[in-house]
Amino acid sequence: MSEWVDLKKHTSPSLLGVDLGFDFTVARSARRRSISIEIRHAKVVIRAPMGVAQSVLVGFVHQKAAWVRAKINEQQHLLAALPQARTYAQGSQLPFMDEILTLTIGRGTRAAVARVDHQLHLLLSSRSRLGDEAQIRQLLERWYQQQALALLTRKTQALCAQLGLNCTQVSVRATRSKWGHCTSRGAIQYNWNILLAPEAIVDYLVAHEVSHLRHQNHSADFWALVASICPTFKADRAWLKAEGAHLCL
C-alpha cells in the first residue's frame, strides 16, 4: 500500500509555510516496526508501519530534509552523467575515433554495411524479422567490432614489434567493467567500444595493454613503460575514466 504526499502542498501546522522542495511516496507495511527513507533514482520513498499518522511521517522527513536534498542532488548528477540513448535513423551521426560518420539507410534483399568517406551506408534486409532500429543496431555493432579487431590488431602488433614483445592473440568484445585485459599467456582483449573515443585514447589503451606483456602488474616500472610509449597517458587515462560511460552504441 502506498500514497503520494506533496510536501509543497502539505498543511501540517509544524510545516506550514515551509517548502522542502521535494515530494515523497509513503509505502506502509504491517511487518515494519520503524520509519526509514529510501532514495533511488532521485525519488524518495518513506517506508513506515501501518497506522503511523501522516503528520508524524512529514515531521520525520522534515528532520532529514537536508540529507534528503543532498542525496537527491547527488543522484540527479549521476543520472545526468549516464549515456543518453542514441537514435538510429537516416542522418544519425556516430563517432569513429577522430571522425563523425553519418548514417544513410536503404533496403535490399541482404543486409550490408559499407563506408564511403564519412558516410556509413546501411542496407536493411527485407527478409529480416527484426524491426528497422534493431537491424541498424545489429549491423552497426558487427561493423564496429570488425573495424576494432582489424585496427587494434594492427596497432598492437606494431607496438609489440617496436618493443620486442609478443602478443599471442588479439580479440574484441563488449565488456562492462574493463577496457582491456592482458593474460599471462600474452593474449590481449579489448572492448570494441573504444573506437567511439578519440584515437589518442585508443593509442593509450593499446600502450597500456601491451605494457602488460612485460609487466603483469601496475608497478612503477609498468607506468614508466606506459609513459615512454604514451607521454600523455595521465590525461588520457583521466579522460577515459570521466567519459568512458558515454562510449557505447
Side-chain angles (χ1 to χ4, degrees):
M1 178 180 178
S2 64
E3 57 185 290
W4 182 261
V5 180
D6 185 347
L7 289 181
K8 296 177 182 178
K9 297 178 181 178
H10 198 275
T11 57
S12 171
S14 62
L15 295 178
L16 191 62
V18 177
D19 182 359
L20 298 182
F22 57 86
D23 301 332
F24 65 84
T25 301
V26 177
R28 301 177 184 270
S29 171
R31 296 181 179 180
R32 178 168 286 276
R33 294 293 180 265
S34 60
I35 305 172
S36 67
I37 301 177
E38 180 181 291
I39 307 173
R40 292 185 180 179
H41 306 297
K43 303 295 184 183
V44 183
V45 177
I46 309 301
R47 301 198 177 278
M50 299 294 292
V52 174
Q54 183 168 295
S55 60
V56 173
L57 296 177
V58 173
F60 178 81
V61 177
H62 182 251
Q63 293 177 355
K64 305 289 185 180
W67 177 81
V68 171
R69 284 193 294 267
K71 284 295 182 181
I72 291 173
N73 185 60
E74 176 184 313
Q75 292 187 11
Q76 285 175 337
H77 279 85
L78 290 173
L79 289 170
L82 292 175
Q84 301 299 309
R86 294 188 186 276
T87 57
Y88 301 93
Q90 180 75 18
S92 293
Q93 295 186 319
L94 294 172
F96 184 83
M97 293 196 294
D98 295 333
E99 303 174 272
I100 297 295
L101 304 181
T102 301
L103 300 185
T104 63
I105 300 171
R107 296 185 183 278
T109 55
R110 288 187 176 183
V113 182
R115 178 180 173 178
V116 179
D117 296 325
H118 291 91
Q119 301 284 327
L120 197 58
H121 299 278
L122 276 62
L123 278 183
L124 306 185
S125 172
S126 58
R127 300 175 179 177
S128 176
R129 295 181 179 180
L130 298 176
D132 286 359
E133 185 165 332
Q135 266 203 80
I136 293 170
R137 181 187 290 271
Q138 185 180 78
L139 289 172
L140 286 175
E141 288 183 352
R142 288 176 180 173
W143 186 81
Y144 269 84
Q145 288 174 24
Q146 292 168 356
Q147 300 303 308
L149 182 59
L151 184 142
L152 292 168
T153 298
R154 185 168 66 251
K155 285 180 176 289
T156 299
Q157 290 176 343
L159 186 55
C160 284
Q162 177 184 325
L163 298 175
L165 298 170
N166 179 49
C167 176
T168 59
Q169 181 186 13
V170 175
S171 61
V172 296
R173 62 175 297 183
T175 54
R176 291 186 176 183
S177 58
K178 291 185 178 181
W179 287 104
H181 177 67
C182 179
T183 72
S184 59
R185 296 184 178 182
I188 295 178
Q189 177 184 285
Y190 295 103
N191 186 331
W192 58 263
N193 283 293
I194 196 65
L195 263 62
L196 297 163
E199 189 167 10
I201 307 302
V202 176
D203 290 340
Y204 156 68
L205 180 62
V206 172
H208 186 116
E209 297 309 324
V210 168
S211 293
H212 276 311
L213 293 171
R214 181 170 292 170
H215 303 287
Q216 282 285 325
N217 51 48
H218 287 101
S219 63
D221 289 339
F222 166 81
W223 288 115
L225 180 57
V226 174
S228 70
I229 303 165
C230 181
T232 61
F233 83 93
K234 289 184 179 180
D236 297 332
R237 183 172 60 156
W239 188 97
L240 189 56
K241 184 177 180 180
E243 303 296 334
H246 298 274
L247 303 180
C248 58
L249 287 178

